[in-house]
Amino acid sequence: MSYLEMRGIIRLYKESGVLANDKVDLSVEKNEIHAIVGENGAGKSTLMKILHGLERPDQGTITFRGREVSIANPLDADRLGIGMVHQHFQLIPQFTICENIVLGIEPKKYSIFFDREKARGRVMGIIKEYGFKIEPGLTVSQLTFGQMQLVEILKMLYRQADLLILDEPTSVLTEQEIKKLFTTLRNLKKIGKTVIIITHKLNEVKEISDRVTVMRKGKVAAVKKTAEVDRKELSRLMVGKSVLYDIERAELTRGLPVLELKEVTLRQKNQDMPLLDKLNLTVHASEIVGVAGVGGNGLAELEDVVTGLRRISSGEIYYNNNRITNSTIHELREQGLCYVPADRLYRGSSLRSSVKENMIITNSRNFQKAGIMSQKRVQDFADTLTAKYSIDGDTALPIGYLSGGNIQKVILARELEAKADFIVFSEPAWGLDIASSEFVYKKILQLREQGSAILLISSDLQEILTLADRVVVMYKGRIAADLANREITKEIIGEYMHGIRGDFEVK
Amino acid sequence: MNTFESSIPLIHNSVNIMTPFLLAAMGGLFTELSGMLNIALEGLMLFGAFFSVVFAYYTGSLFFGVLLGITVTMALSLVFGSITLYLKANVFITGLATNLFASGFTVVLAFHLFGNKGVILFQDLPELPKLTIPLLQKLPFIGDLFINHNIFVYLSWLVVIAAYLVIYKTPFGMHVRGTGLNARAIKSLGLNPRKYQLSAILISGFTCGLAGAVLTLNLGAFIPNMTSGRGWIALVVIYLGNRTPLGVLIASFIFGFAESFSNYAQGSINIPADFILAFPYLITVAALILHSMWKHYRVEAR
Ligand SMILES: Nc1ncnc2c1ncn2[C@@H]1O[C@H](COP(=O)(O)OP(=O)(O)OP(=O)(O)O)[C@@H](O)[C@H]1O
Ligand SMILES: [Mg+2]
């Protein structure tokens, strides 16, 4: 029996209908560094939250140190010696390092007061014992990301964790900070601790881990000894085998450029690395350009920039040869842009408005007579759309009452009906079942045949390969590859996504 | 009333008048720090005002009047808090509902008990105890500030000290503040943010109950909606006080002074009465503008 055994873990998020973990088994040996990899949404964080008691599994058992345990909340996990650093820092910026570390299990004075001196003493003890250098009196908001990470680790050590879980600890760190972190992890291993680390960076997996579990779509795809796999194989395991949809993409000759990005750069305040680094990209009429990439490499930013939600720092954007750099989303919509966001709940819809209001929200003018809405026209339009897109739900109810998939269909219906000449899709099939996805795909291809230029931003490589004429892969804010969709495979895209291929060095 | 015993009546009265603001704001500070805008202060205070005087009247005891008044107010805050937190209602709506409920319910109950929808006088209530130290209260300023006040004034100061200690010196206070600053972090530690928010609301029920008692027991009467916006001003006081107990104390004093000044000016200065009556509110607006300008400036300067 291994040190940690998670068996048959199932977790369904009822709110989103996502089966985040589907009979997942994970076993970790004592004193190893175990990596977990997988694409965005594969269910890695969910599995770790279950192990740390922040989520309850619907089914499955956890055995730790040979005993079956029930972990109902993080305090239980702490007691067992399981600590976790979350994907996003869970620190209180206005508190000091010391306060953050002891929060929840503070030493007390006269049994009601917080004993600051004792807390500081203990924290200093931990810092010294593990050979770190940091002043516990500093306020967390003054720290660098690397130092914040250290505070998170100290939080675990203060709670005497023996099994340390780190969920994407490196994504916000600089190269030097990552080096330091890895040294720390190796030292912790030396003194007998066990580490689970989630990362998207395959070179890090190779560098730090002893074994690796690959997750894909809520399941475990493989468990390997790190020494026995290379990055290519890992990348292949992550993206999985191809499933083919019953969809034909007609041969079309592409038309004139519709959207052109020239040297588009997006910077963030106080950050050296630009989020988008001199992007050059053209989308033509009758063409679908698919954009792939691992989260955090500039996809979301590209989406924001082309839809006018974020102002670029430098460069130009042209739309039908008109300069539209830094136009607002409203201006762009007036000119003929359509946008189906991934974040449907907050960006795509007004949750408290009714389904029909959401259907006409972008072109309400067409339903007015002398400035007054014609309820009949609105209702007719809504009925047509619900029938055509098989939307399940009362059009008079707030859209927030529909299931995720149906909300998605409402927004798709609205945007597809607008027949714009430039459309941005972000994850168009999220939350849809296979039949609905196929329907949407056919619609998208139909728009292409009608001459629209389409930018398809997606984490689903199969979707991109099914629909796109060209595939653009983003890596670290740049375009790592711009490939015609001929004889390319998921594996090749995956390698570009993880920086295994690519003709440039990253500084 | 006792203004003649004091050398600077304006100051002496300010201290009396600020007490309900101070108490309500001190409880509101807890909810504010726990990350919730508590607009129910007004209604809670009104509940406290009504029930403490009514219970004092029936029991013939100030102590039991205040105790039961606070208990009922805390019960109302418990309902308000539970609906907000566990049924996930919008805190603004439930707060507003609490205020409307308190306003209507106290009048209806008053009518039911005393057959009167207007001012209800309670004649034979015991006197509020006072601290009198004849030697010291003659001292200008110091004497006015600290001596010859009724027991509630001193209680309110104890509340300030207790609030300070709880907020900054106890794990509970750290957790409340942590909840307001980053509830997810609190949750990731296995603590329950809602528990702290509910506790904060209960604390505001406690202090608002006391604040209400100050109003009615001082006056020996209940007047429908007699809080007349004090709960809202208490909210302003929290922000002006920069969300710290000491700041709230100072801001309360400023408002107490403004109202005291307006009372005094009505009798002696030749300014239109409407303007004088509006003075405390003008101060509120001016203070808010200054406060937001100052904040804006601080952000710019960074
Ligand atoms: N609280 C939640 N409510 C509803 N759905 C959720 C919730 N948390 C996660 N999900 C969904 O569950 C799936 C798995 O999410 P999870 O966070 O475990 O993925 P992950 O592998 O950690 O991905 P990433 O690499 O992007 O962090 C996703 O589809 C996500 O949208
Ligand atoms: Mg994750």
Side-chain angles (χ1 to χ4, degrees), chain A residues 241-261:
Chain A
K241 287 216 173 54
S242 309
V243 208
L244 283 178
Y245 285 97
D246 173 25
I247 280 174
E248 278 291 313
R249 190 157 42 89
E251 282 297 321
L252 286 180
T253 37
R254 69 184 189 195
L256 297 170
V258 175
L259 187 89
E260 285 174 276
L261 303 188

Side-chain angles (χ1 to χ4, degrees), chain A residues 75 90-92 106 112-114, chain B residues 169 171 175 178 182 185 188-189:
Chain A
L75 294 176
Q90 303 292 0
L91 298 170
I92 295 174
E106 303 85 354
I112 54 164
F113 290 110
F114 171 46
Chain B
K169 304 288 178 195
H175 299 170
N182 187 353
S188 78
L189 294 169

